[in-house]
Amino acid sequence: MTIRKKIAIFGRVQGVGFRPAVHRIAADLALTGFVFNDSRGVTIELQGNPTAINQFLTRLTGPDRPPASDLKEIQTLEIATVINESCFTIQPSETLGSPTSQVTPDLAVCSDCLREMNDKTDFRYRYPFINCTNCGPRYSIVKAIPYDRPNTTMSQFAMCPQCSAQYTDVTNRRFHAQPVACPADGPKIWLTNPAGKTICSGTEQTIEKAASLLRNGHIVAIKGIGGFHLAVDAYNNDAVVRLRQRKHRDHKPFAMMAASIETIKKHALVDSQAEILLKSAAAPIVILPQNPDHTIAPNVAQQVNSFGFMLCYAPLHFLLFEQRPEVLVMTSANISDEPLICDNGKTLERLGDVADAFLMHDRQIYRQLDDSIIHFIDEQPVMLRRARGYVPTPVFLNENCPDDILATGADMKNTFCFVKDDFALCSEHIGDLEDATVYHHYTASIDHLAALYEHKPAIIAHDLHPGYFSTQYALTKNIRAIGIQHHWAHIASVLAEHNYDGSVIGIECDGTGFGTDGNIWGCEVMIANLEKFDRFAHLDYYTLPGGDKASKEAIRPLMALLKKAFGDGFEISKFAWLMNRIEPDVQKQQIILAQIEKGINTVQTSSLGRVFDAVAAAVGLGGYNYFEAQLPIALEAITRKNCTECYEFNIIDDGKPIRLDLCITIRQIIADIKNSVGAGMISTKFHNTIAAALLELARIVRERTGLETVALSGGVFCNRFLANSLIKSLKESDFNVLFNREVPANDGGIALGQAAIAANVIYKERKDVSGCTSKNN
């Protein structure tokens, strides 16, 4: 019996060796037909024995699936057979294909390429740029579409006959691998001093000299796939301290790289899930619990109980680690908070006083990309920073959007998002827009990616905060602008990535977000969907002094909460024992208190992030956030397992919205500090209190609305202890729980939520949506 099936496959299936894999499997099973790329993915027609066709699908989706592919959906339809068809062919693409199907993420070097790189008989032996359709650079080298070599930064390298033969051979895994190269025709490496003078060239000399410098405590800038890293020996504390001083990054933990899982296990606890993720083609930094017996230098990661590790992902890394640096700090090559540097000349200009040597290459990086960062919540991998290895993978929406949309994101941890047809394309991590160089990179990135993806926005979505640079950017464009409330966008990002259409109990906790009442929100419980939201409950407002200083100086939220908790009983002299070790300047304390009492340069806020700052400072973990969430991270790091105690809290239900009152919580924390209760116990009880309070608010919403699905988002839920505790208790109380996984819960996910809400506005042809404003510029 002979049948014919038409198979449509959607997902990451172009530019990853998918058609050659289809051809090989079909030929192996004696099936006839053809395969071609279309605007959404790949279309296959197969003819032959039904058993063979089933085997084809099993192999294509299982053991023979190209490693770099990602199959989102498969549709099959039985059709009429074709007479006198004798073979299986790869046909020309039906169209040029959509940009989303053509441009794929950069991927770690595959095992086949590593084997060839170490094979003395292979013409790419010891070549630091070896790649194939299953691995190597993609997004970082694309200048324009279609994704062909002339439109990449490889255009300057003409293929030699050997590379060209593989590139044009449909049976070869380098068939149409655009970055394909070899020592005869491709990029080269060399080492320079800070003045740009060449120290040595040639692969072997360069690698040996760079490794020697690293082993001897020097700082080496290493050009990789998405940009430069600054590297030092992770065992050498003096070298790490020197890197911190030169990079002006005194406190934030550094990421590290190792060549093997076995090495990482010496220093961190690696379970099976984490090992799979570390070894994946995306090769992200994975946040792992510290091994108590680790020998990593103390200054690599202070006041935390975890390490960020990644495995080598570029051939160059593997060659370098063969020379026996065992673990390297590999941190983004920039001055603190500036964009990652990817240009050779700019690296020397900006980092000549930071690195002792520069390992260069001449393959241009067109899109600079930070390393992605992933941690585990509820035993699932969750994004903390989405960049190399994951961008530009789209998030598919439930409906086709008739107009292109640009969502400009937030100012902190910015990403932006394009909506085109039925997918949302989130940019890589951009950074904090208050830095002028980051803002310039942001606007240039929007322009470049709009051209790359043929995106012409008719709608621009932005945050409600009038002071955000992303908002101001949006309002300069001569297109319809939609302002979307910050915390609603957070919840919408969860709904978008889970393709959830209904209403949820949205619990959003973060540092700051501009509210519809003009106050600064930060601990919200809302009834929300993509059409509207209703603010059901929030943390009771407290008076926060000092504007932006309040997110840095913990004395400000601490005094605000003490004043609210103790009322007229709060006097500076009575709390000198507590406050003087956080802020020894008593005059400054008096000024802050006067601000609170007189309402000078203050805001009313429900920020939970600032409460974490205050508690961390109160228990003695420091008084200043040198990087975002430094104090809350330190507070989480000292929590204890198997402790269920918590403090009391009050829920004020005297009208709408309901308010969560933590005054008694603060008073009990202060009492514990006075009674010399350990900081770890206080931290654990405080975390448990927040989880218990949010659970109780969710229960109240369920009782009054019947809703049983909870969506969690916001930067506070990057706290693994809190997120895991709350998710566990919600599930035990029979709630269905959704949370961010594909995009970060912090402001790096805001743009996706903005895009989803704006798309829904267009879907429903609504002009006025509760919680957002619409303006035609």
Side-chain angles (χ1 to χ4, degrees):
M1 178 183 177
T2 298
I3 65 169
R4 189 176 187 89
K5 282 194 174 182
K6 184 175 183 178
I7 303 167
I9 301 180
F10 308 110
R12 188 195 303 156
V13 290
Q14 295 185 20
V16 293
F18 199 81
R19 289 177 301 158
V22 168
H23 183 276
R24 287 193 295 271
I25 301 169
D28 189 40
L29 295 170
L31 295 168
T32 64
F34 54 82
V35 60
F36 62 85
N37 289 336
D38 60 27
S39 62
R40 291 288 309 282
V42 164
T43 294
I44 306 165
E45 289 195 13
L46 283 177
Q47 185 164 302
N49 184 283
T51 301
I53 290 177
N54 289 334
Q55 289 175 343
F56 171 91
L57 288 170
T58 299
R59 288 175 58 176
L60 186 63
T61 58
D64 294 341
R65 179 181 66 82
S69 65
D70 182 15
L71 280 56
K72 294 294 185 184
E73 184 181 354
I74 299 176
Q75 297 175 356
T76 63
L77 176 68
E78 189 162 339
I79 59 176
T81 58
V82 175
I83 300 173
N84 297 326
E85 188 176 58
S86 60
C87 63
F88 191 92
T89 61
I90 295 178
Q91 293 189 349
S93 299
E94 185 178 72
T95 68
L96 289 177
S98 74
T100 53
S101 60
Q102 291 189 53
V103 185
T104 56
D106 301 275
L107 300 173
V109 60
C110 69
S111 58
D112 288 330
C113 284
L114 286 177
R115 176 179 48 77
E116 291 170 346
M117 188 178 74
N118 291 305
D119 182 354
K120 292 182 179 180
T121 66
D122 194 282
F123 72 100
R124 294 190 181 88
Y125 176 61
R126 308 284 293 171
Y127 186 53
F129 301 96
I130 191 169
N131 67 84
C132 68
T133 53
N134 298 326
C135 67
R138 299 284 196 282
Y139 179 64
S140 62
I141 63 170
V142 175
K143 292 182 174 182
I145 58 168
Y147 176 56
D148 291 325
R149 193 177 181 99
N151 290 329
T152 73
T153 61
M154 289 297 295
S155 60
Q156 70 184 86
F157 302 102
M159 280 186 277
C160 71
Q162 283 180 292
C163 287
S164 182
Q166 292 180 335
Y167 181 85
T168 56
D169 181 358
V170 71
T171 65
N172 193 284
R173 77 173 199 281
R174 292 192 171 87
F175 176 68
H176 285 189
Q178 306 305 339
V180 68
C182 73
D185 63 15
K188 307 289 193 295
I189 63 171
W190 68 95
L191 195 71
T192 79
N193 67 13
K197 183 178 179 181
T198 299
I199 298 172
C200 58
S201 59
T203 297
E204 300 306 325
Q205 280 187 302
T206 300
I207 293 293
E208 288 174 8
K209 182 61 176 178
S212 174
L213 289 169
L214 289 164
R215 289 194 302 268
N216 286 284
H218 293 282
I219 301 168
V220 179
I222 301 171
K223 188 176 183 180
I225 290 179
F228 280 84
H229 286 104
L230 289 169
V232 294
D233 181 356
Y235 297 146
N236 187 328
N237 200 58
D238 289 341
V240 175
V241 170
R242 190 160 54 250
L243 174 59
R244 288 199 176 278
Q245 291 169 342
R246 294 184 187 179
K247 184 177 163 69
H248 306 302
R249 180 169 161 175
D250 294 333
H251 300 89
K252 194 173 183 179
F254 284 137
M256 291 175 284
M257 177 179 283
S260 70
I261 287 289
E262 290 69 32
T263 298
I264 294 177
K265 287 180 177 178
K266 293 179 184 179
H267 309 292
L269 305 179
V270 185
D271 62 19
S272 58
Q273 263 196 308
E275 184 167 341
I276 290 170
L277 199 57
L278 285 162
K279 292 178 175 179
S280 70
I285 296 167
V286 180
I287 305 299
L288 303 165
Q290 292 180 3
N291 184 332
D293 299 323
H294 76 81
T295 56
I296 298 298
N299 274 278
V300 168
Q302 296 179 303
Q303 281 195 305
V304 295
N305 58 1
S306 59
F307 286 133
F309 265 107
M310 59 184 157
L311 286 171
C312 298
Y313 58 83
L316 176 63
H317 298 151
F318 283 93
L319 293 171
L320 186 64
F321 273 82
E322 282 180 7
Q323 300 297 317
R324 302 259 188 300
E326 189 168 81
V327 181
L328 293 178
V329 165
M330 292 285 270
T331 186
S332 299
N334 58 2
I335 301 300
S336 188
D337 296 328
E338 292 183 359
L340 175 68
I341 301 173
C342 63
D343 176 77
N344 291 353
K346 188 173 289 186
T347 301
L348 291 169
E349 176 187 331
R350 298 291 296 130
L351 301 177
D353 295 332
V354 177
D356 300 309
F358 295 77
L359 204 172
M360 302 285 201
H361 65 70
D362 56 353
R363 184 177 65 200
Q364 182 190 0
I365 297 169
Y366 204 72
R367 291 296 311 163
Q368 60 213 65
L369 288 164
D370 288 284
D371 297 309
S372 294
I373 306 175
I374 289 181
H375 64 161
F376 288 90
I377 288 177
D378 194 33
E379 300 182 344
Q380 298 182 65
V382 170
M383 284 287 173
L384 275 173
R385 183 171 74 194
R386 188 174 186 265
R388 180 191 52 77
Y390 296 92
V391 175
T393 303
V395 175
F396 286 94
L397 306 176
N398 282 336
E399 298 184 57
N400 195 70
C401 189
D403 294 316
D404 287 358
I405 297 169
L406 166 62
T408 60
D411 273 17
M412 297 287 285
K413 300 186 184 302
N414 177 269
T415 64
F416 57 88
C417 182
F418 293 151
V419 173
K420 190 176 184 69
D421 300 327
D422 65 344
F423 44 78
L425 285 157
C426 298
S427 77
E428 65 271 23
H429 169 80
I430 299 295
D432 298 341
L433 299 188
E434 67 177 1
D435 182 281
T437 56
V438 176
Y439 182 77
H440 176 75
H441 173 51
Y442 167 72
T443 58
S445 295
I446 292 174
D447 291 342
H448 167 66
L449 293 182
L452 181 65
Y453 290 110
E454 302 172 348
H455 185 272
K456 298 177 181 179
I459 304 288
I460 190 163
H462 61 85
D463 196 274
L464 286 183
H465 199 304
Y468 273 8
F469 292 103
S470 55
T471 299
Q472 294 168 18
Y473 172 86
L475 296 178
T476 63
K477 303 301 174 182
N478 191 31
I479 56 176
R480 182 185 174 195
I482 300 177
I484 297 170
Q485 203 281 321
H486 187 92
H487 303 92
W488 182 26
H490 267 302
I491 299 302
S493 72
V494 181
L495 302 182
E497 70 169 88
H498 288 272
N499 291 125
Y500 192 88
D501 285 331
S503 294
V504 296
I505 303 166
I507 301 179
E508 199 289 336
C509 300
D510 64 2
T512 61
F514 194 77
T516 56
D517 60 358
N519 293 321
I520 301 301
W521 296 3
C523 180
E524 312 301 315
V525 178
M526 57 179 65
I527 300 166
N529 53 40
L530 294 179
E531 290 186 19
K532 61 183 179 180
F533 77 93
D534 180 23
R535 192 187 194 199
F536 186 91
H538 62 86
L539 178 64
D540 199 24
Y541 286 140
Y542 55 97
T543 304
L544 186 63
D548 290 342
K549 291 181 180 179
S551 65
K552 299 286 188 182
E553 300 174 4
I555 190 66
R556 295 176 182 274
L558 176 60
M559 290 183 67
L561 291 165
L562 291 173
K563 178 64 178 176
K564 183 174 180 66
F566 290 93
D568 292 338
F570 174 66
E571 297 176 11
I572 288 176
S573 59
K574 291 182 180 180
F575 288 85
W577 62 273
L578 174 67
M579 296 194 302
N580 286 357
R581 61 177 168 78
I582 300 168
E583 177 49 74
D585 186 341
V586 176
Q587 184 178 8
K588 183 173 181 177
Q589 294 178 26
Q590 292 170 340
I591 292 171
I592 292 171
L593 180 58
Q595 283 183 281
I596 295 169
E597 292 178 336
K598 297 178 182 179
I600 300 171
N601 191 26
T602 61
V603 294
Q604 294 299 301
T605 187
S606 57
S607 169
L608 186 59
R610 300 292 78 78
V611 179
F612 273 81
D613 290 345
V615 174
V619 300
L621 298 179
Y624 195 86
N625 279 312
Y626 289 94
F627 61 89
E628 187 185 10
Q630 178 185 354
L631 292 174
I633 290 170
L635 189 66
E636 178 194 359
I638 63 170
T639 52
R640 300 179 180 179
K641 295 181 179 179
N642 304 317
C643 172
T644 58
E645 293 182 56
C646 64
Y647 297 108
E648 296 176 61
F649 58 87
N650 290 314
I651 291 178
I652 304 170
D653 188 4
D654 59 1
K656 192 177 177 183
I658 291 172
R659 279 132 38 231
L660 169 61
D661 182 0
L662 294 180
C663 286
I664 190 170
T665 308
I666 298 298
R667 292 195 293 267
Q668 289 176 347
I669 288 172
I670 298 304
D672 271 359
I673 295 171
K674 271 190 170 182
N675 293 328
S676 300
V677 175
M681 177 60 72
I682 294 171
S683 173
T684 307
K685 289 169 67 177
F686 169 67
H687 279 81
N688 291 344
T689 302
I690 300 304
L694 295 174
L695 172 63
E696 183 58 28
L697 290 170
R699 284 173 171 161
I700 294 172
V701 180
R702 179 168 63 182
E703 289 171 3
R704 299 186 186 181
T705 67
L707 292 173
E708 295 185 334
T709 297
V710 176
L712 306 179
S713 192
V716 168
F717 288 120
C718 294
N719 181 313
R720 291 179 289 281
F721 187 94
L722 176 63
N724 284 326
S725 297
L726 180 56
I727 290 168
K728 181 175 182 289
S729 60
L730 285 166
K731 288 183 175 180
E732 289 174 348
S733 298
D734 297 322
F735 285 98
N736 175 39
V737 185
L738 307 176
F739 54 93
N740 292 113
R741 288 189 58 196
E742 293 188 41
V743 297
N746 58 38
D747 282 5
I750 281 277
L752 176 61
Q754 293 173 342
I757 291 169
N760 193 71
V761 171
I762 298 174
Y763 298 151
K764 306 299 181 181
E765 296 184 346
R766 295 172 61 97
K767 293 184 179 179
D768 297 308
V769 178
S770 177
C772 76
T773 61
S774 178
K775 174 187 174 183
N776 284 295
N777 287 328

